[in-house]
């Protein structure tokens, strides 16, 4: 089926939301939990699978694929059932940028990090993209199982921190932390490379492997992967006050306003 044609506006700077304007009978699909608000005249329905029109077996298969990426078994579809234009807003789950992607201008397919999809025009298929190389499968980490967004409509993904868009030329190679990848177009070749060097492996602090992206194609990169942010928060939350680096211990905590 053809994707619904939707208009949109992105609001905010670091904590963004996207406002989707729906004509009568137009719909947008989203991940559960991303809904923010909507005007009167829009109905909400929970669908099994990825929200595309399929038979029972197709829905079961798409739901199973979503389980592999750690996503919810269900998608939510918002439809304008009124006779006027109506709006529905979706918010990013953490600080960063919302990236609008017009799949009709990107070859009909974009591969993205498994937790980055926010919402899309109804008709866009949200599936999984398994990296086929053995090395990628064993060591890819965050980049091994990714989502693929297919169709010819608008889709929206979110990044952590700031987003950088790069246009890779044919044969051009970009080496990048796997968690920093937000999305790339289908022409880009993806592989995992060993960092190399015993000192890098043991003391580098960046992991043993990084992603290698080879052009041509577009790549979207985030400065703050959610896994990195969560790791720092967990590290801070599980560290005792006296272990936070101050040589003064409890006195240092008191002096810098943290208490004892």
């Amino acid at each position: 089926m053809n994707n619904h044609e939707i208009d949109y506006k992105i609001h905010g700077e670091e904590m963004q939301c996207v406002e989707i304007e729906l004509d009568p009978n137009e719909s947008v699909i989203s991940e559960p939990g991303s809904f923010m608000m909507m005007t009167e005249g829009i109905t909400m329905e929970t669908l099994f699978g990825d929200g595309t029109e399929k038979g029972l077996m197709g829905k079961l298969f798409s739901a199973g694929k979503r389980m592999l990426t750690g996503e919810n078994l269900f998608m939510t579809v918002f439809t304008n059932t009124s006779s006027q234009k109506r709006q529905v807003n979706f918010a990013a789950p953490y600080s960063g940028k919302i990236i609008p992607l017009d799949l009709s201008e990107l070859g009909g397919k974009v591969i993205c990090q498994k937790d980055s999809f926010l919402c899309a025009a109804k008709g866009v298929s949200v599936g999984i993209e398994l990296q086929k190389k053995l090395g990628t499968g064993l060591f890819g980490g965050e980049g091994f199982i990714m989502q693929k967004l297919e169709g010819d409509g608008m889709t929206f993904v979110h990044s952590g921190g700031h987003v950088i868009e790069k246009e890779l030329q044919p044969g051009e190679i970009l080496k990048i932390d796997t968690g920093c990848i937000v999305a790339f177009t289908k022409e880009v070749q993806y592989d995992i490379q060993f960092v190399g060097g015993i000192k890098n492996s043991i003391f580098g602090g960046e992991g043993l492997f990084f992603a290698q992206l080879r052009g041509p194609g577009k790549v979207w990169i985030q400065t703050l992967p959610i896994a990195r942010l969560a790791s720092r928060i967990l590290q801070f939350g599980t560290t005792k006050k006296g272990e936070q680096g101050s040589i003064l211990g409890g006195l240092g905590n008191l002096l810098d306003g943290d208490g004892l």
Side-chain angles (χ1 to χ4, degrees), residues 24-225:
N25 299 316
E26 281 187 343
S27 300
V28 60
I29 60 172
S30 74
E31 289 285 0
S34 62
F35 168 72
M36 178 181 174
M37 64 180 177
M38 62 184 177
T39 54
E40 187 178 12
I42 293 179
T43 60
M44 182 178 68
E45 181 183 6
T46 300
L47 299 179
F48 190 63
D50 64 5
T52 57
E53 300 295 337
K54 298 176 180 177
L56 177 60
M57 291 305 297
K59 290 179 180 179
L60 288 172
F61 186 61
S62 66
K65 292 190 297 183
R66 287 173 56 75
M67 284 187 64
L68 286 176
T69 64
E71 304 294 346
N72 198 295
L73 287 176
F74 298 88
M75 298 283 282
T76 308
V77 58
F78 297 82
T79 303
N80 182 3
T81 57
S82 74
S83 59
Q84 306 292 327
K85 291 179 180 292
R86 293 292 185 261
Q87 294 78 35
V88 56
N89 290 58
F90 302 96
Y94 47 86
S95 178
K97 299 293 184 181
I98 295 176
I99 309 169
L101 303 173
D102 188 343
L103 296 181
S104 66
E105 298 179 355
L106 297 170
K109 177 180 176 181
V110 168
I111 299 166
C112 65
Q113 197 68 266
K114 63 179 191 274
D115 61 349
S116 63
F117 172 71
L118 187 66
C119 61
K122 188 177 181 183
V124 170
S125 173
V126 184
I128 65 170
E129 183 80 4
L130 290 173
Q131 303 304 325
K132 300 176 179 62
K133 291 187 177 181
L134 179 62
T136 308
L138 292 176
F139 309 116
E142 293 167 275
F144 172 44
I145 301 178
M146 305 185 79
Q147 285 184 326
K148 61 179 177 181
L149 310 174
E150 295 180 293
D152 59 10
M154 289 297 304
T155 184
F156 301 86
V157 299
H158 61 84
S159 64
H162 184 66
V163 62
I164 299 173
E165 179 180 331
K166 293 185 72 70
E167 181 80 41
L168 299 181
Q169 300 304 311
E172 183 181 357
I173 292 177
L174 180 67
K175 297 180 180 181
I176 179 173
D177 181 274
T178 55
C180 290
I181 299 172
V182 180
F184 52 86
T185 53
K186 63 180 182 181
E187 300 89 358
V188 174
Q189 298 178 37
Y190 178 81
D191 197 7
I192 293 293
Q193 298 291 323
F194 179 59
V195 171
I198 186 65
K199 289 190 295 183
N200 289 334
S201 300
I202 297 177
F203 305 113
E206 303 297 337
L208 299 179
F209 302 90
F210 52 74
Q212 178 174 287
L213 303 177
R214 181 187 296 270
K218 283 188 177 181
V219 181
W220 290 266
I221 304 157
Q222 60 188 353
T223 60
L224 184 59

